[in-house]
Amino acid sequence: MKGARPSGGGAGDFRSANGLADEVVYESLNNGYITTQYYTAHVSRFAPDNFVFGGLQDNGSILTRSALAANNSQRILGGDGAYTASTRFGIYYYMSFQNSRIFRLTFNDQFGLTSFARVDPLGGGTDPEQPYLFINPYILDPNNGNRMYLAGGDFLWRNRNLSQITAGSQDPTSLNWAKLDRTEVTNGVISAVEVSTQPENVVYYGTSVGQL
């Protein structure tokens, strides 16, 4: 069967009068109703920021200020928005899109982008049998905002100092990244990551088959 999906992509409702035709034709039933779906959301850990940001299906990563105004949200990254993170001192903010392409960002007072750097690890997610998840988790260590833990299929990755990655890069980097061999899982893939604050330096991770 040809043309088995609506052309042009996007989301919403579509109808075909004849699903058995050689060339299936769809018409859109969307009628001005606008909605979206968050994969993740994150309240900035720097209290003066007073904003939340998150990743949305098909609609990138959006930052929303708490002020009740008509234009209080803006899109920062495109793609399928994924995990987001921030430090408790502000300065750096992290957004990502599908397959764990992660960016470190800085903003001015009007939330305009002032710098960026791609920070995901060179070689991460390249094993075809243990790839990144489409929406792949990572977390900043709450005890050290420059340290990141990233799910990488059957291993965790750790970056010990993200701040040293040069601004302006759009390629993955090997700087300060290490694959933690002792974290290997033998079933499923790593699908959740969390770092303890008391005690510090303890990382928990869960898998797609329900292991912790």
Side-chain angles (χ1 to χ4, degrees), residues 18 27 48 54 77 81 88 90 95 100 104 111 117 155 166 171 177 194:
N18 184 0
E27 62 174 317
L77 286 181
R88 63 188 180 195
M95 298 184 183
S100 218
R104 185 195 70 208
F111 304 105
F155 291 92
T166 303
D171 298 313
W177 279 107
E194 188 58 84

Side-chain angles (χ1 to χ4, degrees), residues 27-176:
E27 62 174 317
S28 172
L29 301 182
N30 297 327
N31 193 28
Y33 178 65
I34 300 174
T35 187
T36 190
Q37 171 182 306
Y38 277 86
Y39 283 122
T40 69
H42 176 84
V43 178
S44 175
R45 297 187 64 225
F46 183 52
D49 281 343
N50 211 18
F51 62 71
V52 61
F53 54 108
L56 294 80
Q57 181 190 24
D58 277 344
N59 285 290
S61 295
I62 289 180
L63 183 150
T64 302
R65 299 176 289 281
S66 64
L68 296 178
N71 297 309
N72 68 337
S73 296
Q74 62 196 83
R75 187 163 78 160
I76 308 298
L77 286 181
D80 280 88
Y83 279 79
T84 53
S86 64
T87 73
R88 63 188 180 195
F89 302 114
I91 305 175
Y92 290 131
Y93 304 86
Y94 295 85
M95 298 184 183
S96 62
F97 53 96
Q98 67 266 27
N99 304 122
S100 218
R101 283 169 278 189
I102 308 169
F103 287 83
R104 185 195 70 208
L105 310 171
T106 62
F107 304 104
N108 60 25
D109 291 341
Q110 288 73 46
F111 304 105
L113 192 64
T114 55
S115 75
F116 71 89
R118 186 170 169 182
V119 300
D120 50 289
L122 185 67
T126 55
D127 183 345
E129 295 184 0
Q130 296 288 347
Y132 287 139
L133 296 173
F134 183 72
I135 302 300
N136 196 64
Y138 62 87
I139 188 169
L140 294 181
D141 188 336
N143 311 291
N144 180 344
N146 284 320
R147 183 184 298 142
M148 177 181 284
Y149 293 92
L150 167 70
D154 51 350
F155 291 92
L156 277 181
W157 289 73
R158 179 187 62 206
N159 190 292
R160 58 181 176 81
N161 193 345
L162 294 165
S163 69
Q164 293 180 339
I165 297 173
T166 303
S169 168
Q170 297 196 53
D171 298 313
T173 179
S174 60
L175 185 64
N176 296 333

Side-chain angles (χ1 to χ4, degrees), residues 14-20 24-27:
F14 296 81
R15 176 178 61 193
S16 171
N18 184 0
L20 299 178
V24 179
V25 177
Y26 287 90
E27 62 174 317

